[in-house]
Structure formats: structure tokens, C-alpha cells
């Protein structure tokens, strides 16, 4: 059998790491003084495991809403004799100065800090403790790490983050970082003197200065014989800078791209491009996206020309005369004129918007540190999935999921990513996706709903959830998804389309789940939320899908769930029922849903006295004559009255309407129904019906129950004969035959039910459909 996209199971290492992190005190830790985490004295962890634990910890904090930060977590790795850390990737505001200080004794080889805005000059001291071992360092987007708070000592309260930090820490130096080869200072603020900062690092081979102010770029030539990779993304290019770059003779990767060509004063020419490729003979990768050529030839955004590794010398030409012409010279759908230059190489790795491969390359290349470009590429992927066909489904889903995880607070990424997921998970692609992959989609969609309260994101996420089998595929996140949907429905004036989708999802989630789930959702405020929606629609005089879905959801959540039935009554549900009946007398679907719900309420003996009022009984009696939705409204109204009658004449304290008159009306209604009617109802259990059978106090209730069983086992024998046999219904029907109080008509119908079940046991093939 062919495997589906994303079918590879998680590694045992990954599963164990996540389990340990979610159960620290039950596995590798114990509670020490003041309940602080401490590593067990008999635990010794090698570098591979420690790196995974810390990196997985960061990932869980960003993606798992149930996973809370563990106070003192980094302190677990403070002692190199029992733990070893070598390669860490830490992101965003979850990382504090004290976290880095806790691991200051470790011999880190790689430390990648991305947008850790809470880090301050205190962390520079910690970085110095790694200088003897550090080979790769990134402080990309860590806007405050080279600054101390003005007028305060270094050891200030790091929780006080409101006050602007604007004093450069002049004491820090990279002196002694002799092993450092890769350095990323992307986003470094203009107040810093980059030249002075970098001068002590003669051995650098890779340098990223994205968006960094370089007033005197000539200092870069100090690495002209060593630097293999130079990233100058979003720098304003000048002749001096280009001249400097041309002297970097060992460069293999050069990035001089821009986010937006409109803001650039510098005009790229083919002469400059030719000079770059001819001068930098080892170049294998060149990114020039976002620049306008002098002859108005636009090089599109996110367009990397990766020159072939098989050529030691690649040139840019004005002609098409070369033998080995790049196969991707027209690499985008943008308004370009790329025929004016040809890369003389036989293999390329190109990002762009011409085809799916280029688009996925762009998402992969730019997600981590250039979300603005990743957003554009995801938008292109969205169009492919929507209009054409995505042929690399697994890669596309994994890249979009990664982008949404990495940039959960970026509106552009969240909007385009959630829209792309909607199309990538629809029916066309569903058969190719594994359970594991679809669960990853669900989790990242819920993350978006949780962290980004924005109309478009919420709508896209809700629509994407509709592509899944509900409740089955969402059950592993059941509590969370219900909470999020109820939160969406809280505002009195929610966006109409979101409200409609969210109510539909709520209804689907409480249909066909066990009572424990329904009770839990009821405690979340589900019943009150639905009634609030109904109240609002009633005030607007509008019976739309939201109104009908809300009543349907209440019908489902009260099924065999007494606590939720009680909540319905306590939250003024009966008055809303009467008001809706009066306001919308011709809405058949609405009437069916409301009466189905009241049937559930009537099944709860302790709640039935609240239904036994002149007003309610009169309404139920009138609805016995309803022809709405076939027999459904009349059937459900009769069911409500049957349970009330079952409690006997002693509870009937009203003079009007008389009990005997209501029972006569019930008999007449039952006799008017077509017993072959196909039903718009689904029973998971016959228990509420079966309890009405062996009794003599209310023969009409007994007759309604017998009729219901006969109808269901006749029309749907394959579904309901086994259920009736399993729940002991045949034995109870035999008792009906033995009771003198049972009407002959009821006995005749009981025999037919028993015969139907007997015939089904002999020939279980269902030929009724």
C-alpha cells in the first residue's frame, strides 16, 4: 500500500523528548527548594539529548498552548558534568538574560538567537563565557542585546521592559572569539559601530549584516581572503559597497537583495552583475532580488540565481550564444525581461514565482528571517493550490506549517498561510495526507486562532477546520478547539460569516460524541453561548443558519446529558423557545431542532415539573398537529408529552388543559403518522424510549414508544434492529404484550417489532436501501 504524505512516524528520540519535557518532575527532575526544578543526581545527559531537549522545549512553547514555561528550566543545564549543550536555537521574547546566564558554563559551539528582544547587555557577558568554543553565532533581530537601560546598573530588573533601552554597551568586544566563523548581526541598530565591533574577528567565513547601517563598507576587505558567505539584505547599495564586494575573492554565496525595489536609490546594471560574476570566481549562489535594472528590467522579489556547483566560473552575458544556457532564465511570472541576460550554467536552484518548485524554494529560503518575502511566496502557493494543482503536497504543507509556527504574530503570514492550508487540505488533496500530517495542520490552525484575533485569520482557520472529519479528526484537541470556537462567538457583533462557520463547527463537534465530552463542553459555557446567539438573532428578527445551527447544537449537546438540559432551563431557554415559535411560525427546520431539544429535556425526570405549566403543555399540544418537516415536529412534541404523561396523573395539577384531553390528542396524532416515514433523526440509544414500555399509568406514552420503535426497525433494520436487541428491547416488548392495560393496537405493533428483530437475526442483510 502506498504511503501518504507525512506518514513517517516521529522518531523514538522525539517522542521521548516531548514526553520528558511534559513530565519533567516524573522523569528527569524533582522539586527542590521553593518547588524549583532540579535535575536528579543520577541523571547524566550527552550533548545530543541536551540540545534536543532545549530546542524541543522552545518549539513546544511556541506551538503547544497547553505547555507552560518551566521556571528554572535552563538552570537544569547549568552543570557541564551532568549535561552538555553544544547547538541551540532560541527564539523571541521567551528567552531572558537569566536563561543564558544559567548555561554560561557550557561549551556552546552554535548559538542562534532570533528576535529575542528581551535580551539586553547582560547577555553579552554570558556570550563572553562561550568565546573559547563558539563557532557560529546569530543575534538576528535581537534589538536590545547591545544596549543597557539608561541610568541603571546592568543588574536591573529585567521584568521592567517598558522603559526604552538606548545606551550602547561600549564595554563589550568580540576579542577572544577566536573560533567564531559564522556571525549573523542582522537588524543591528544604527547606533552601533559595526566596524569596531567586528574588527577582532579575523577568521570569519560567513557574515550576515541584513539591514545594518554601513557608513564605511571598505572595512569588509579585511576578510577578502576568507569570507565565503556575505549577506547584505536590505542594505542601500552604493558604488563603494559594490567595489568592496568585488574584492571578496573567496565568496561562494552573495546576497545583495532588497525587500522592495521601490525604496532603492541604487540602480542595478548588467555591467555590475557581470562584474560580480566575473570577479567572484568561486561564486555559486547570488541573490539580487528586489532590484531594478537601469534599463527597467526588474529582477523579481524572492528570485535567487544559484549558480551551478559544477562550474568554477560563471558569467552573465547579453546574448544567447552560449552552449550551456541556464534552463531557468525566465524564472517568474512577474513583469520581467530576463531574456536580456543569460546565466551560463547548466543547473540552477531558483526561487521565484514561475512554477511550484521556485515558489517552494522561496518559502524555504526566506521563512526564518525574511517573513515579508515568505509571505509573497506563500501567496503564490495559495494560487497554485486554488487554481492549478500542487504536485509537492508534503513539502508544501510542511513549509507552510513551519512558516505559521515561526511567525505566529505576523498578520501577513497568518492570513496567507491559513488560506493556503484551506486549499491544501481540501477534498482534492485529502487522500494523499496521513493522519499525522493532518494533525500537524490542525494544531497550527488552532495556534493561529489562539494567538491572532483577526477577522481574516479567524475565518480562514475556521474554514480550514471544516475540511476535517468532525468530531473524529479534531477529538485529539477537543477541549481546546471548543474553547477557541466559543471565544470566537462571545462578541455580540461578530463577523457574520465567521459566526456562521463557528456555530456549524460547534454543532458538528457535539454531535456523535460521548456524554463526558458533552458535559465538559457544557461547563465551558456552550449552552449559554448558543442561547446568547439565539437571543441576538431574535432581537434582529432574523432566522438564519446561525439561529438554526444554534438550536441544533443545543439539541445535540443536551442528548442524554441532564446537566446541560438543566443549564438550558436555567438560562431562560424555554422563554426563548416560545419567542422563536411566535416570531418564526413557518420555519420548519427551526421547529424540528427546538422540539428535538425539548425532547431531551423531557427525558430528565427531575426537570419535567418545569415543563408542566399551562402555557407549555398548550404549546406542545398545538404542535401535535404540525406538519412541519414531515412528522418530525409532531413526533417530538408527542415525545415530550409522553415523558410528562409517564409521571402519572398525580403530578398533573392543572385544570386546563385536562390530562385526558391531551392524551386523546396524542392518540390522534400518532394514528395520523405514516409508519414508513423516513426519519431526520439519529438514536445512539433507545434507553429513553424503552423506559416508557412496561407501564400502565400512561398507555399513550407506551404507544408512542412502540410506534417509534416499529418505525425505526422497519425503515432502518440494519441500524436499529441490532441496537434494540442489544439493549433488551425485545424482552420489554414481551412485557407490553403481558400487560392488561396495554391497548390492543399497541400490542399488535409490539408483535411486529419483535417479528422484525427476529427476521433480522435470521437474515441480517439490510435490503431496505
Amino acid at each position: 500500500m502506498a504511503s501518504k504524505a507525512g506518514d513517517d512516524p516521529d522518531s523514538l528520540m522525539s517522542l521521548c523528548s516531548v514526553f520528558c519535557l511534559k513530565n519533567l518532575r516524573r522523569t528527569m527532575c524533582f522539586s527542590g527548594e521553593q518547588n524549583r526544578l532540579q535535575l536528579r543526581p543520577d541523571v547524566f545527559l550527552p550533548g545530543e539529548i541536551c540540545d534536543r531537549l532545549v530546542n524541543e522545549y522552545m518549539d513546544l512553547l511556541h506551538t503547544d498552548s497547553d505547555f507552560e514555561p518551566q521556571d528554572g528550566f535552563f538552570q537544569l543545564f547549568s552543570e557541564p558534568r551532568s549535561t552538555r549543550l553544544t547547538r541551540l536555537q532560541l527564539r523571541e521574547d521567551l528567552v531572558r538574560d537569566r536563561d543564558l546566564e544559567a548555561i554560561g558554563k557550557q561549551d556552546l559551539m552554535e548559538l542562534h538567537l532570533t528576535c529575542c528582544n528581551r535580551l539586553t547587555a547582560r547577555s553579552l557577558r554570558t556570550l563572553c563565557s562561550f568565546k573559547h568554543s563558539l563557532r557560529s553565532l546569530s543575534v538576528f533581530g535581537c534589538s536590545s542585546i547591545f544596549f543597557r537601560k539608561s541610568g541603571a546598573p546592568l543588574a536591573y530588573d529585567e521584568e521592567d521592559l517598558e522603559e526604552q533601552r538606548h545606551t550602547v554597551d561600549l564595554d563589550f568586544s568580540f576579542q577572544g572569539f577566536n573560533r567564531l566563523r559564522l556571525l549573523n548581526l542582522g537588524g543591528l541598530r544604527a547606533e552601533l559601530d559595526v566596524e569596531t565591533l567586528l574588527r577582532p574577528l579575523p577568521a570569519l567565513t560567513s557574515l550576515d549584516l541584513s539591514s545594518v547601517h554601513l557608513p564605511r563598507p571598505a572595512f569588509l576587505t579585511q576578510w577578502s581572503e576568507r569570507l565565503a558567505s556575505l549577506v547584505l539584505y536590505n542594505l542601500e547599495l552604493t558604488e563603494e559597497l559594490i567595489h568592496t564586494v568585488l574584492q571578496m575573492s573567496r565568496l561562494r554565496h552573495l546576497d545583495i537583495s532588497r525587500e522592495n525595489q521601490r525604496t532603492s536609490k541604487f540602480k542595478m546594471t548588467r555591467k555590475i552583475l557581470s562584474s560580480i560574476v566575473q570577479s567572484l570566481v568561486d561564486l555559486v549562489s547570488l541573490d539580487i532580488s528586489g532590484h531594478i535594472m537601469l534599463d527597467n528590467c526588474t529582477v523579481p522579489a524572492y528570485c535567487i540565481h544559484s549558480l551551478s556547483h559544477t562550474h568554477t566560473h560563471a558569467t552573465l552575458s547579453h546574448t544567447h550564444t552560449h552552449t550551456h544556457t541556464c534552463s531557468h532564465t525566465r524564472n517568474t511570472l512577474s513583469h520581467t525581461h530576463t531574456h536580456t541576460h543569460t546565466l551560463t550554467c547548466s543547473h540552477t536552484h531558483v526561487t521565484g514565482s514561475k512554477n511550484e518548485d521556485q515558489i517552494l524554494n522561496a518559502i524555504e529560503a526566506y521563512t526564518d528571517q525574511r517573513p515579508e518575502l515568505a509571505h509573497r511566496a506563500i501567496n503564490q502557493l495559495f494560487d497554485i493550490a486554488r487554481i492549478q494543482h500542487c504536485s509537492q503536497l508534503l513539502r508544501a504543507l510542511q513549509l507552510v506549517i513551519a512558516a505559521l509556527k515561526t511567525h505566529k504574530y505576523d498578520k501577513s503570514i497568518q492570513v496567507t498561510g491559513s488560506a493556503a492550508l484551506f486549499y491544501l487540505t481540501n477534498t482534492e488533496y485529502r487522500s494523499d495526507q496521513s493522519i499525522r500530517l493532518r494533525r500537524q495542520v490542525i494544531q497550527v490552525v488552532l495556534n493561529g486562532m489562539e494567538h491572532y484575533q483577526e477577522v481574516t485569520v479567524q475565518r480562514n482557520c475556521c474554514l480550514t477546520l471544516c475540511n476535517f472529519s468532525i468530531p473524529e479528526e479534531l477529538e485529539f484537541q477537543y477541549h481546546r478547539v471548543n474553547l477557541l470556537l466559543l471565544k470566537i462567538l462571545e462578541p455580540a457583533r461578530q463577523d457574520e460569516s465567521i459566526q456562521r462557520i463557528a456555530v456549524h463547527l460547534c454543532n458538528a463537534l457535539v454531535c456523535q460524541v460521548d456524554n463526558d465530552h458533552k458535559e465538559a463542553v457544557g461547563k465551558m459555557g456552550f449552552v449559554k453561548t448558543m442561547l446568547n446567539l439565539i437571543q441576538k438573532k431574535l432581537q434582529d428578527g432574523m432566522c438564519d443558519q446561525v439561529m438554526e445551527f444554534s438550536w441544533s447544537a443545543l439539541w445535540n449537546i443536551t442528548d442524554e446529558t441532564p446537566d446541560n438540559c438543566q443549564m438550558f432551563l436555567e438560562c431562560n431557554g424555554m422563554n426563548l423557545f416560545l419567542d422563536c415559535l411566535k416570531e418564526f411560525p413557518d420555519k420548519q427546520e427551526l421547529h424540528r431542532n427546538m422540539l428535538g431539544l425539548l425532547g431531551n429535556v423531557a427525558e430528565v425526570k427531575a426537570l419535567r415539573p418545569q415543563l408542566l405549566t399551562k402555557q407549555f403543555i398548550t404549546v406542545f399540544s398545538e404542535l401535535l398537529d404540525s406538519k412541519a418537516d414531515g412528522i418530525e415536529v409532531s413526533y417530538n412534541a408527542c415525545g415530550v408529552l409522553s415523558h410528562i404523561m409517564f409521571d402519572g396523573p398525580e403530578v398533573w395539577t392543572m385544570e386546563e388543559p385536562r390530562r385526558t384531553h391531551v392524551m386523546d390528542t396524542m392518540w390522534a396524532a400518532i394514528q395520523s403518522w405514516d409508519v414508513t416515514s423516513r426519519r431526520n433523526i439519529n438514536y445512539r440509544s433507545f434507553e429513553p424510549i424503552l423506559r416508557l414500555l412496561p407501564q400502565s399509568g400512561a398507555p399513550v406514552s407506551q404507544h408512542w414508544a412502540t410506534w417509534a420503535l416499529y418505525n425505526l426497525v422497519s425503515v432502518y433494520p440494519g441500524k436499529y434492529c441490532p441496537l434494540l436487541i442489544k439493549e433488551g428491547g425485545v424482552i420489554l416488548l414481551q412485557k407490553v404484550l403481558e400487560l392488561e392495560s396495554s391497548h390492543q393496537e399497541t400490542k399488535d405493533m409490539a408483535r411486529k417489532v419483535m417479528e422484525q428483530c427476529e427476521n433480522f437475526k435470521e437474515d441480517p442483510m439490510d435490503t431496505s436501501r
Side-chain angles (χ1 to χ4, degrees):
M1 187 173 66
S3 63
K4 296 183 178 181
D7 223 0
D8 295 335
D10 288 322
S11 68
L12 185 58
M13 170 77 86
S14 178
L15 292 171
C16 290
S17 299
V18 172
F19 181 82
C20 286
L21 288 168
K22 290 185 174 182
N23 301 275
L24 283 171
R25 285 178 170 83
R26 291 166 51 198
T27 53
M28 48 191 276
C29 300
F30 68 97
S31 297
E33 294 181 8
Q34 299 178 339
N35 203 33
R36 291 180 68 86
L37 275 178
Q38 285 188 236
L39 198 67
R40 294 183 183 276
D42 57 346
V43 170
F44 298 89
L45 301 174
E48 181 188 2
I49 291 178
C50 291
D51 289 350
R52 177 176 283 275
L53 285 170
V54 175
N55 293 328
E56 192 79 58
Y57 172 79
M58 294 302 300
D59 190 52
L60 286 172
L61 287 177
H62 281 90
T63 60
D64 190 333
S65 64
D66 295 327
F67 188 78
E68 296 292 333
Q70 301 291 314
D71 189 33
F73 174 78
F74 284 89
Q75 196 66 40
L76 299 176
F77 305 91
S78 61
E79 183 49 66
R81 285 177 296 183
S82 55
T83 58
R84 294 288 176 87
L85 290 173
T86 54
R87 295 174 173 85
L88 298 185
Q89 297 190 19
L90 311 179
R91 297 188 65 88
E92 299 176 5
D93 294 351
L94 294 166
V95 185
R96 310 292 184 89
D97 290 327
R98 63 172 177 259
D99 297 327
L100 287 186
E101 287 171 354
I103 59 173
K105 294 180 182 178
Q106 295 286 352
D107 296 329
L108 285 187
M109 295 172 61
E110 297 178 13
L111 178 60
H112 291 186
L113 305 170
T114 304
C115 300
C116 300
N117 292 315
R118 286 182 180 265
L119 297 184
T120 69
R122 276 176 62 186
S123 288
L124 293 180
R125 304 292 168 268
T126 307
L127 287 183
C128 288
S129 68
F130 304 134
K131 64 184 178 183
H132 63 283
S133 60
L134 207 58
R135 297 178 184 178
S136 177
L137 173 66
S138 171
V139 289
F140 178 83
C142 300
S143 57
S144 300
I145 197 168
F146 288 97
F147 297 80
R148 66 178 76 173
K149 192 167 67 171
S150 179
L154 279 177
Y156 64 86
D157 180 6
E158 68 176 78
E159 301 297 332
D160 179 15
L161 295 165
E162 299 302 317
E163 188 174 339
Q164 178 75 24
R165 301 186 186 101
H166 52 79
T167 301
V168 178
D169 187 337
L170 299 175
D171 298 331
F172 175 76
S173 169
F174 277 117
Q175 192 70 44
F177 284 73
N178 298 326
R179 294 194 173 189
L180 196 62
R181 298 294 183 268
L182 286 79
L183 179 61
N184 185 338
L185 295 177
L188 200 67
R189 281 157 56 174
E191 301 98 304
L192 283 139
D193 183 348
V194 185
E195 182 176 351
T196 302
L197 195 63
L198 294 178
R199 190 176 294 122
L201 297 171
L204 284 182
T205 59
S206 176
L207 181 60
D208 188 326
L209 297 175
S210 297
S211 304
V212 173
H213 180 56
L214 291 181
R216 302 176 303 278
F219 79 92
L220 293 173
T221 56
Q222 76 180 85
W223 299 287
S224 60
E225 296 299 317
R226 296 193 60 93
L227 212 58
S229 174
L230 179 60
V231 178
L232 303 174
Y233 171 67
N234 261 354
L235 263 70
E236 182 60 49
L237 296 184
T238 62
E239 289 187 11
E240 182 185 2
L241 183 53
I242 293 294
H243 177 72
T244 301
V245 168
L246 292 177
Q247 298 177 60
M248 316 296 286
S249 58
R250 299 299 182 188
L251 278 183
R252 295 174 59 81
H253 170 66
L254 174 62
D255 183 345
I256 51 174
S257 61
R258 291 189 62 81
E259 175 188 351
N260 191 334
Q261 62 262 25
R262 295 183 184 86
T263 61
S264 176
K265 299 176 184 177
F266 183 83
K267 305 301 180 185
M268 184 69 68
T269 66
R270 283 171 295 187
K271 181 179 179 181
I272 292 173
L273 290 179
S274 296
S275 299
I276 290 173
V277 182
Q278 290 167 359
S279 301
L280 307 180
V281 296
D282 292 332
L283 204 63
V284 296
S285 174
L286 172 63
D287 190 340
I288 54 172
S289 56
H291 283 289
I292 296 178
M293 301 287 281
L294 193 58
D295 55 2
N296 291 324
C297 173
T298 304
V299 181
Y302 56 87
C303 165
I304 299 178
H305 298 260
S306 294
L307 312 182
S308 168
H309 288 263
T310 61
H311 288 72
T312 56
H313 187 83
T315 65
L316 212 67
S317 170
H318 297 270
T319 70
H320 293 279
T321 59
H322 296 279
T323 306
H324 303 292
T325 302
C326 167
S327 60
H328 296 290
T329 50
R330 292 200 62 207
N331 48 22
T332 79
L333 296 179
S334 305
H335 300 292
T336 68
H337 300 83
T338 48
H339 62 276
T340 57
H341 61 276
T342 304
L343 289 170
T344 59
C345 57
S346 57
H347 302 88
T348 62
H349 181 74
V350 181
T351 74
S353 56
K354 178 184 177 183
N355 56 45
E356 181 181 331
D357 202 46
Q358 291 182 5
I359 290 165
L360 295 179
N361 288 342
I363 300 173
E364 187 170 14
Y366 295 128
T367 285
D368 195 37
Q369 296 182 354
R370 303 185 195 176
E372 64 280 1
L373 300 185
H375 153 66
R376 299 182 204 173
I378 295 172
N379 213 28
Q380 295 285 344
L381 177 64
F382 162 78
D383 283 336
I384 286 181
R386 178 173 62 96
I387 302 169
Q388 304 169 35
H389 178 78
C390 179
S391 59
Q392 300 179 56
L393 179 65
L394 174 59
R395 186 181 178 211
L397 278 171
Q398 288 175 333
L399 287 172
V400 174
I401 288 169
L404 288 169
K405 281 183 177 180
T406 304
H407 302 288
K408 64 183 179 183
Y409 296 116
D410 186 303
K411 177 181 175 181
S412 297
I413 293 285
Q414 291 297 320
V415 169
T416 56
S418 56
L421 286 183
F422 171 73
Y423 284 102
L424 290 169
T425 55
N426 67 15
T427 307
E428 178 186 358
Y429 300 106
R430 181 170 183 171
S431 60
D432 297 326
Q433 297 167 14
S434 69
I435 294 173
R436 178 169 174 257
L437 187 64
R438 287 176 72 79
R439 284 191 169 191
Q440 289 176 349
V441 173
I442 290 168
Q443 286 176 314
V444 82
V445 164
L446 297 182
N447 289 343
M449 293 171 66
E450 206 162 45
H451 297 296
Y452 212 95
Q453 307 302 315
E454 197 275 335
V455 172
T456 312
V457 174
Q458 297 282 4
R459 186 188 298 114
N460 289 351
C461 290
C462 285
L463 282 170
T464 301
L465 291 179
C466 292
N467 285 339
F468 293 82
S469 297
I470 303 171
E472 296 84 3
E473 287 193 280
L474 298 184
E475 199 157 2
F476 80 106
Q477 295 276 286
Y478 193 79
H479 183 270
R480 183 183 179 200
V481 70
N482 274 290
L483 275 178
L484 287 170
L485 289 170
L486 293 179
K487 187 174 181 181
I488 287 174
L489 292 170
E490 274 178 13
R493 289 288 178 184
Q494 177 59 279
D495 175 88
E496 190 70 28
S497 63
I498 296 179
Q499 195 176 68
R500 185 172 60 253
I501 302 162
V503 174
H504 162 72
L505 286 168
C506 281
N507 189 19
L509 280 163
V510 294
C511 184
Q512 300 299 309
V513 293
D514 60 45
N515 291 356
D516 288 343
H517 278 27
K518 292 179 183 180
E519 287 175 3
V521 174
K523 289 183 174 68
M524 293 178 198
F526 188 100
V527 174
K528 187 166 182 58
T529 298
M530 293 302 137
L531 289 173
N532 287 343
L533 290 172
I534 292 166
Q535 178 73 58
K536 183 67 190 63
K537 291 297 178 182
L538 196 58
Q539 289 171 357
D540 295 342
M542 186 182 299
C543 183
D544 58 4
Q545 284 186 324
V546 172
M547 170 75 91
E548 291 180 0
F549 283 159
S550 297
W551 279 108
S552 179
L554 288 170
W555 182 6
N556 282 319
I557 201 173
T558 54
D559 180 34
E560 297 185 54
T561 316
D563 286 353
N564 291 340
C565 292
Q566 184 171 344
M567 276 187 234
F568 170 78
L569 295 178
E570 290 173 351
C571 295
N572 200 35
M574 288 306 295
N575 286 335
L576 279 177
F577 158 68
L578 295 175
D579 291 343
C580 286
L581 207 58
K582 181 179 178 181
E583 182 71 20
F584 309 112
D586 301 319
K587 294 291 184 178
Q588 297 189 16
E589 181 82 5
L590 179 69
H591 292 187
R592 179 178 72 90
N593 292 344
M594 293 194 299
L595 264 295
L597 157 64
L598 293 182
N600 291 337
V601 177
E603 290 173 6
V604 184
K605 180 176 177 62
L607 301 180
R608 286 199 284 270
Q610 297 184 56
L611 304 180
L612 198 55
T613 69
K614 179 179 180 180
Q615 184 182 29
F616 294 152
I617 296 300
T618 301
V619 168
F620 297 145
S621 299
E622 291 171 351
L623 288 170
L624 289 171
D625 295 327
S626 173
K627 298 296 185 286
D629 200 16
I631 67 167
E632 295 300 332
V633 171
S634 177
Y635 170 88
N636 283 321
C638 197
V640 173
L641 290 169
S642 292
H643 287 287
I644 292 172
M645 295 298 174
F646 178 68
D647 290 337
E650 59 274 12
V651 302
W652 198 281
T653 57
M654 297 175 292
E655 291 186 11
E656 291 293 335
R658 296 194 312 277
R659 186 172 185 268
T660 53
H661 175 70
V662 174
M663 287 196 293
D664 290 342
T665 310
M666 292 167 65
W667 277 107
I670 296 170
Q671 288 169 336
S672 72
W673 301 338
D674 180 1
V675 80
T676 65
S677 297
R678 300 191 73 81
R679 306 301 307 286
N680 199 351
I681 197 167
N682 179 41
Y683 283 100
R684 293 188 300 131
S685 169
F686 283 144
E687 195 278 327
I689 294 176
L690 296 179
R691 73 172 74 128
L692 300 178
L693 288 179
Q695 48 93 12
S696 56
V700 69
S701 301
Q702 186 187 62
H703 191 63
W704 174 83
T706 308
W707 188 97
L709 295 174
Y710 183 43
N711 164 256
L712 293 168
V713 299
S714 300
V715 180
Y716 309 101
K719 179 174 184 179
Y720 289 119
C721 282
L723 181 62
L724 185 60
I725 295 168
K726 176 186 174 185
E727 296 190 335
V730 176
I731 297 170
L732 295 175
L733 287 165
Q734 181 63 45
K735 291 182 179 179
V736 170
L737 299 178
E738 298 168 1
L739 286 171
E740 291 184 10
S741 59
S742 300
H743 285 221
Q744 188 59 45
E745 191 177 350
T746 305
K747 292 182 177 181
D748 292 342
M749 195 168 283
R751 288 191 187 93
K752 291 177 181 178
V753 177
M754 295 167 70
E755 288 171 7
Q756 188 75 27
C757 290
E758 192 62 35
N759 293 336
F760 180 82
K761 282 197 292 185
E762 293 174 4
D763 182 12
M765 296 302 293
D766 179 7
T767 58
S768 63
R769 281 175 273 184

